[in-house]
Amino acid sequence: MRIRAQVAMVMNLDKCIGCHTCSVTCKQTWTNREGTEYVWFNNVETKPGIGYPKHYEDQDRWHGGWKLDGKGRLTLRSGGRVKRLTRLFANPDLPSIDDYYEPATFDKDILVNAPAGLTDTPVKRPYSALTGEPMAVQWGPNWEDGLGGTHEVGGQDPNLARMPAEAAAKVKFEFEKTFMFHLPRICEHCLNPACVSACPSGAMYKREEDGIVLVDQDRCRGWRMCVSACPYKKVYVNHATGKAEKCTFCFPRIEAGQPTICSETCVGRLRYLGIVLYDEDAVLAAASVPDERDLLDAQRAVFLDPADPAVQQAAREAGMPEDWLEAARTSPVWRLISEYKIALPLHPEYRTLPMVWYVPPLSPVLDAVGAAGRDDTDADDVFHTIRELRIPVEYLAELFSAGDADVIAGVLMKLAAMRSYMRARTLDGTVAEELLDGIGMTAEQVEAMYRLLAIAKYDERYVIPVAHSKDAAALEAQAAAQPDCSLDCAGGPGMHETAATVTRFHLVDGDEVHPGRAGLSARRADGRLGLTVNPVRGAS
């Protein structure tokens, strides 16, 4: 057993109001510069919809993520080493600017300098931020916001195509007959990242100390295989520098014990950040289970109980500091994922083992119970109505449980039972034992889950230990060497490592070893994860 720590995030979708504050603050922090006009490390999608970039969930088209070959071994959907090398200069599995959107700017001077006495109101014309030519705005990163454009393309949502026909027929795109919810998305910082394995130059890597996936700008050669391999399409190419860029999980803030900028500015307070301990040796087996519907339980089995004395002792022997162990014990992410089991990964069938999880949205369940002529205080009536909610459980299952609707129903039942239990306890002080028995939780667990989801304070939602003390000298030296902001470097901010040492993960396809791995110290031909520890110092 090799214990690692991973910074992970959970988002409670019931609290997302689609205000896009997280997207705007992320844009202003990381991608407000030339070459990244079309790039949104954080975007908020309206579901149902085809998303950003268009149809990114259709892996038959984009060939992202992993699959099992005929021998049950993991292999990239984008192909092995030889296939990728033949596509270095002509990769067909790349979204075009039309799949993202062509960013526009506007000539504000026409309003400022408009002469007085005009009979017609002057209008700002859109100009392409890429070419400077006049253009017509026809798509955007949130074009479907609030179902605004969904009536035109919503039927092309890949999740609908995978749903059973009778369930898909329930999804309507007509006023008062449809449903919607908001889905914020960032890089998943996966345990088994396809982008890292697909990179020919070894520029993509996963940090040893906290699992954040980053891009080494010095190594990146712009081959764009990472863009093809990422099933979430959260790796972008800076067209000004020709380098790959992606969400950095705001690692300078994480190293200082602060939450990501999207979490800090979230109006709905829907994000939770914390440490999860996991067994690195169990990652490959978890990602290789034959049945896609077993991937959720397999990934949960990779996580280790931070309260287990054996786990604590093994972590100490591996050199993990006590403050990190304490952060893991009090992690809200661990509780939502593994204790309460109400957080689910986005598209586990991609086999990347994502580390940004979601609490699925619960429709106005008590209103639905009443509308069905049932008693909203009766546990059986509440549970039976779960299957009749406005948001079909089958649709949520395609997003969060590889199509297993029973998993979604179980999570929604816990959330509905928590609401009913807390309402009864607040109104007349009664303890609804039948509700607790129905979901297999104790009163203390339900009340703790309610506090975490509803009224948790800042330090309860964000439990982030500071960077390892062994890295403090390197971080201080970097800050001293750069009098200005250390992120203001050529090619844009945040793409260089700041801590002293990282672990680069790669996966071997059969007997193949991915190229471009200078100093590779452990190469395996049995499909196991190979490791190499390379020093990467400071930002430029």
Side-chain angles (χ1 to χ4, degrees):
M1 179 172 67
R2 287 185 293 180
I3 295 181
R4 299 289 188 194
Q6 169 86 38
V7 178
M9 179 183 290
V10 171
M11 303 191 210
N12 183 2
L13 297 184
D14 252 340
K15 302 174 75 173
C16 182
I17 62 175
C19 65
H20 300 277
T21 303
C22 53
S23 299
V24 173
T25 52
C26 176
K27 184 72 173 174
Q28 291 294 328
T29 303
W30 293 104
T31 59
N32 187 18
R33 51 197 161 82
E34 183 185 4
T36 61
E37 294 89 350
Y38 76 102
V39 174
W40 296 81
F41 288 169
N42 183 111
N43 72 290
V44 181
E45 299 169 357
T46 294
K47 289 294 184 180
I50 61 176
Y52 159 82
K54 298 176 182 176
H55 310 285
Y56 72 90
E57 295 164 294
D58 184 0
Q59 302 313 325
D60 291 335
R61 175 180 178 182
W62 300 118
H63 307 110
W66 301 90
K67 65 178 181 179
L68 298 181
D69 64 13
K71 297 181 180 180
R73 299 176 302 184
L74 272 182
T75 182
L76 290 171
R77 284 184 178 271
S78 57
R81 179 182 61 163
V82 174
K83 182 178 181 180
R84 288 197 301 279
L85 288 177
T86 63
R87 293 183 170 188
L88 281 181
F89 303 103
N91 184 359
D93 298 330
L94 285 173
S96 68
I97 193 64
D98 291 333
D99 292 310
Y100 293 101
Y101 75 107
E102 186 170 2
T105 186
F106 297 88
D107 183 8
K108 300 183 177 64
D109 289 340
I110 195 172
L111 301 183
V112 176
N113 300 325
L118 291 178
T119 57
D120 296 324
T121 302
V123 177
K124 295 186 295 183
R125 295 181 60 187
Y127 291 85
S128 171
L130 303 180
T131 66
E133 299 295 326
M135 61 171 288
V137 179
Q138 298 178 328
W139 193 257
N142 61 337
W143 193 260
E144 300 167 296
D145 188 30
L147 298 179
T150 305
H151 64 286
E152 297 179 347
V153 296
Q156 303 172 27
D157 186 334
N159 299 295
L160 296 178
R162 293 191 296 265
M163 290 171 59
E166 62 276 11
K170 299 178 184 178
V171 179
K172 306 293 183 181
F173 295 101
E174 301 174 22
F175 184 64
E176 293 186 346
K177 292 185 179 180
T178 189
F179 68 91
M180 74 170 188
F181 62 93
H182 300 291
L183 180 68
R185 291 202 307 119
I186 64 173
C187 170
E188 298 287 334
H189 296 276
C190 309
L191 296 183
N192 183 36
C195 59
V196 173
S197 293
C199 179
S201 59
M204 305 285 296
Y205 64 94
K206 187 173 179 65
R207 298 211 304 186
E208 177 183 49
E209 59 268 27
D210 53 20
I212 295 176
V213 177
L214 295 175
V215 185
D216 184 341
Q217 294 285 280
D218 292 332
R219 283 184 174 229
C220 181
R221 296 296 178 265
W223 299 124
R224 310 185 185 203
M225 295 299 166
C226 51
V227 179
S228 301
C230 176
Y232 305 98
K233 291 296 172 280
K234 278 298 177 181
V235 183
Y236 307 89
V237 175
N238 183 319
H239 63 78
T241 65
K243 306 284 189 177
E245 297 188 12
K246 59 179 291 300
C247 162
T248 67
F249 228 152
C250 292
F251 70 85
R253 294 177 59 90
I254 293 293
E255 290 172 352
Q258 299 175 358
T260 61
I261 196 67
C262 58
S263 301
E264 182 80 71
T265 59
C266 177
V267 174
R269 299 183 179 181
L270 60 97
R271 302 185 188 228
Y272 300 82
L273 282 168
I275 297 294
V276 174
L277 302 182
Y278 70 97
D279 181 4
E280 186 182 315
D281 288 334
V283 168
L284 179 63
S288 304
V289 295
D291 191 341
E292 291 180 344
R293 297 192 175 191
D294 293 334
L295 285 165
L296 172 61
D297 289 336
Q299 184 171 358
R300 280 195 175 126
V302 172
F303 302 145
L304 302 174
D305 185 355
D308 185 341
V311 172
Q312 295 178 10
Q313 182 59 31
R316 293 188 183 98
E317 292 174 357
M320 192 169 296
E322 285 297 329
D323 59 332
W324 280 61
L325 286 176
E326 179 60 29
R329 285 191 291 268
T330 58
S331 170
V333 172
W334 158 258
R335 283 185 284 163
L336 293 171
I337 293 176
S338 296
E339 183 178 347
Y340 308 142
K341 295 185 177 180
I342 59 173
L344 304 172
L346 181 63
H347 289 298
E349 68 272 17
Y350 297 161
R351 299 181 181 273
T352 61
L353 306 187
M355 290 307 294
V356 176
W357 290 45
Y358 297 85
V359 178
L362 181 65
S363 296
V365 61
L366 300 183
D367 291 344
V369 174
R374 297 170 179 162
D375 183 2
D376 61 10
T377 63
D378 184 88
D380 288 336
D381 282 356
V382 171
F383 291 164
H384 290 157
T385 309
I386 291 293
R387 293 283 185 176
E388 302 173 16
L389 295 179
R390 196 167 189 176
I391 303 178
V393 293
E394 293 85 358
Y395 185 84
L396 296 175
E398 293 299 332
L399 281 172
F400 303 118
S401 62
D404 192 341
D406 290 338
V407 170
I408 300 297
V411 172
L412 297 183
M413 286 176 183
K414 286 184 179 181
L415 297 175
M418 179 192 72
R419 291 187 180 187
S420 297
Y421 173 86
M422 292 304 299
R423 184 175 69 166
R425 204 206 67 170
T426 302
L427 291 178
D428 54 21
T430 59
V431 177
E433 295 291 350
E434 67 280 3
L435 286 173
L436 299 177
D437 295 338
I439 60 175
M441 297 180 68
T442 65
E444 291 76 14
Q445 286 178 315
V446 169
E447 293 185 23
M449 183 170 71
Y450 162 77
R451 176 175 179 82
L452 187 57
L453 291 177
I455 58 175
K457 303 300 183 183
Y458 185 94
D459 57 353
E460 295 175 276
R461 289 183 283 119
Y462 309 133
V463 181
I464 310 165
V466 297
H468 291 182
S469 58
K470 65 182 178 63
D471 296 329
L475 294 173
E476 184 178 359
Q478 178 200 3
Q482 180 63 269
D484 299 321
C485 176
S486 61
L487 303 179
D488 290 337
C489 56
M495 300 299 117
H496 282 58
E497 174 61 74
T498 61
T501 305
V502 299
T503 296
R504 302 181 187 276
F505 292 81
H506 77 291
L507 192 71
V508 181
D509 296 330
D511 293 330
E512 298 178 354
V513 178
H514 292 294
R517 307 281 174 163
L520 203 61
S521 60
R523 301 188 177 192
R524 294 184 173 183
D526 59 358
R528 296 298 297 270
L529 281 173
L531 294 175
T532 178
V533 180
N534 295 330
V536 180
R537 303 273 183 182
S540 62

